[in-house]
């Protein structure tokens, strides 16, 4: 365990590890959490995507007397796009459907999601240049850009 900690420290000090990246794309939102999420849902539904769930993390925290600020997770997808990934590698089902988080931090609303290539690429059966990776990447970029500053 000490060896892993030492390696992590060395990599961090040399810049080889980007703290907080892990393939996460972050964008400043133009509106508040609820408004941004409402806009995302409307645009995605208008494009024919399936909204599987909208999880209100902020309300969950409040239910136990905690405050994390406004934070909502949108789980969405298109079975025509996700199914080929799961056929290529059933473990893809751990990462799909896609997710977008909209949250407050320091008075700023943020949009965050994991890039599909970073999410699915490391799996053994998913090729990093699979057509569905490009479709997922394009959709995430298009919808989040539309509600970003």
């Amino acid at each position: 365990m000490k060896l892993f900690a030492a390696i992590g420290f060395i990599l961090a000090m040399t810049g080889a590890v980007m703290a907080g990246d892990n393939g996460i794309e972050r964008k400043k939102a133009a509106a508040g959490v609820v408004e941004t999420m409402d806009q995302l849902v409307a645009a995605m539904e208008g494009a024919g995507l399936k909204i599987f769930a909208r999880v209100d993390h902020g309300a969950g925290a409040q239910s136990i007397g905690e405050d994390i600020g406004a934070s909502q997770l949108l789980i969405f997808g298109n079975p025509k796009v996700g199914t080929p990934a799961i056929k290529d590698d059933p473990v893809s089902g751990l990462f799909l459907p896609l997710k977008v988080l909209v949250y407050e931090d320091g008075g700023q609303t943020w949009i965050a999601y994991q890039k599909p290539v970073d999410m699915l690429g490391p799996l053994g059966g998913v090729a990093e240049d699979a057509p569905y990776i490009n479709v997922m990447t394009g959709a995430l970029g298009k919808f989040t850009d539309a509600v970003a500053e």
Side-chain angles (χ1 to χ4, degrees):
M1 188 57 112
K2 289 181 182 179
L3 175 62
F4 291 119
I7 291 171
F9 176 77
I10 292 168
L11 290 173
M13 294 306 291
T14 61
V17 173
M18 297 293 291
D21 181 27
N22 299 320
I24 304 297
E25 183 75 25
R26 289 179 181 82
K27 302 175 182 179
K28 289 183 178 181
V33 171
V34 173
E35 297 85 0
T36 299
M37 191 61 79
D38 288 346
Q39 292 169 4
L40 280 171
V41 168
M44 289 177 181
E45 286 178 336
L49 295 177
K50 172 122 176 94
I51 304 299
F52 293 100
R54 184 171 173 171
V55 179
D56 191 335
H57 290 307
Q62 287 178 344
S63 75
I64 62 163
E66 297 290 337
D67 184 7
I68 61 168
S71 178
Q72 294 188 8
L73 178 73
L74 186 64
I75 302 170
F76 68 96
N78 180 337
K80 290 181 181 179
V81 177
T83 299
I86 294 172
K87 285 177 70 176
D88 284 349
D89 193 323
V91 177
S92 296
L94 283 171
F95 304 100
L96 298 172
L98 295 173
K99 293 167 255 345
V100 172
L101 178 68
V102 180
Y103 65 99
E104 276 180 350
D105 187 25
Q108 174 65 51
T109 301
W110 293 90
I111 305 159
Y113 61 88
Q114 189 171 20
K115 298 172 194 167
V117 71
D118 293 317
M119 182 172 44
L120 302 175
L123 301 178
V126 174
E128 291 187 13
D129 62 350
Y132 51 80
I133 295 282
N134 291 332
V135 172
M136 291 174 190
T137 301
L140 283 163
K142 172 186 166 184
F143 290 115
T144 58
D145 282 351
V147 295
E149 284 189 341

